[in-house]
Amino acid sequence: MINKIEKHEVLSSFIEETCSENGVCVSFDDSISEDSYVIIKVDKFYNSLNIEFRPPSVDCLIVRECINRGHGLTLVELKKANSSKDFDMKNIEQKFETTLSDFISDKFADPLLINYNDVKLFFVSNKEIYKRDLGLKMEALINIRFKFNDKTLMIRPLMPTPTIKNCYG
């Protein structure tokens, strides 16, 4: 599947080496080899479209091979914020919704719409997510649910730099 994405006519143009933006990023567990995952910059895809309304989308879509068999999917939204006012929860929800329902399930169902062994949604911010002024917003974010491939998913707020772990088939 990684090869199929790397050779894809459109997706190959949006592959990057890292999932990083404005000093906020994710890392990979040392046991995950660089050739067993691919990072697609979803927001760059939508920004490249010549359309009036660009739907909000997450920063990174990461597909990785699981140990034994199958694949894992991690969607990552990176946010460098100066204050809790910089967090628009509705916009963050829309970013994940667009990526799941439009990018994966519609535009790039082939090759992306498969039954993943492991699916994670990460919201990574440079702000202390447990601070009192941000706590209610993070609680609201955690309570958002998405349906994808007969799975119910929730967003996990994390501090930089969370580590993408291996998944198991």
Side-chain angles (χ1 to χ4, degrees):
M1 173 162 192
I2 304 296
N3 260 354
K4 194 172 183 182
I5 293 169
E6 290 173 337
K7 291 180 173 150
H8 191 275
E9 182 180 336
V10 176
L11 293 176
S12 61
S13 300
F14 301 97
I15 293 174
E16 301 231 341
E17 299 290 315
T18 63
C19 179
S20 177
E21 203 165 275
N22 300 319
V24 180
C25 61
V26 298
S27 65
F28 289 84
D29 189 274
D30 290 339
S31 65
I32 300 176
S33 67
E34 287 185 23
D35 61 350
S36 68
Y37 66 86
V38 64
I39 300 169
I40 301 168
K41 294 291 280 185
V42 180
D43 60 342
K44 282 191 177 178
F45 165 77
Y46 283 104
N47 288 335
S48 75
L49 299 178
N50 190 16
I51 55 176
E52 188 175 329
F53 172 73
R54 285 180 187 82
S57 59
V58 300
D59 295 303
C60 304
L61 180 151
I62 302 167
V63 175
R64 66 195 183 289
E65 293 174 352
C66 293
I67 294 174
N68 298 331
R69 63 176 178 78
H71 293 85
L73 172 70
T74 305
L75 302 183
V76 182
E77 174 60 18
L78 304 166
K79 183 71 172 169
K80 181 175 181 178
N82 297 318
S83 74
S84 64
K85 292 177 182 70
D86 292 338
F87 293 96
D88 177 347
M89 293 301 127
K90 189 67 184 159
N91 179 259
I92 294 167
E93 179 180 358
Q94 290 171 340
K95 288 178 179 212
F96 284 97
E97 184 61 40
T98 298
T99 305
L100 290 166
S101 65
D102 185 59
F103 191 81
I104 296 172
S105 300
D106 184 25
K107 286 185 173 29
F108 299 106
D110 180 26
L112 297 176
L113 189 58
I114 64 167
N115 191 14
Y116 292 94
N117 295 5
D118 180 55
V119 180
K120 301 236 184 312
L121 310 180
F122 288 177
F123 173 71
V124 183
S125 169
N126 65 320
K127 281 289 166 202
E128 176 60 57
I129 59 176
Y130 303 106
K131 274 190 166 175
R132 188 177 61 87
D133 66 330
L134 204 52
L136 290 175
K137 286 189 174 192
M138 289 303 114
E139 193 171 310
L141 190 66
I142 291 168
N143 287 322
I144 298 169
R145 300 289 185 266
F146 300 93
K147 290 294 269 177
F148 177 73
N149 278 5
D150 297 326
K151 293 180 174 119
T152 300
L153 307 173
M154 58 188 269
I155 301 169
R156 295 178 50 196
L158 300 164
M159 296 292 295
T161 303
T163 301
I164 306 285
K165 305 271 189 207
N166 261 319
C167 54
Y168 297 88

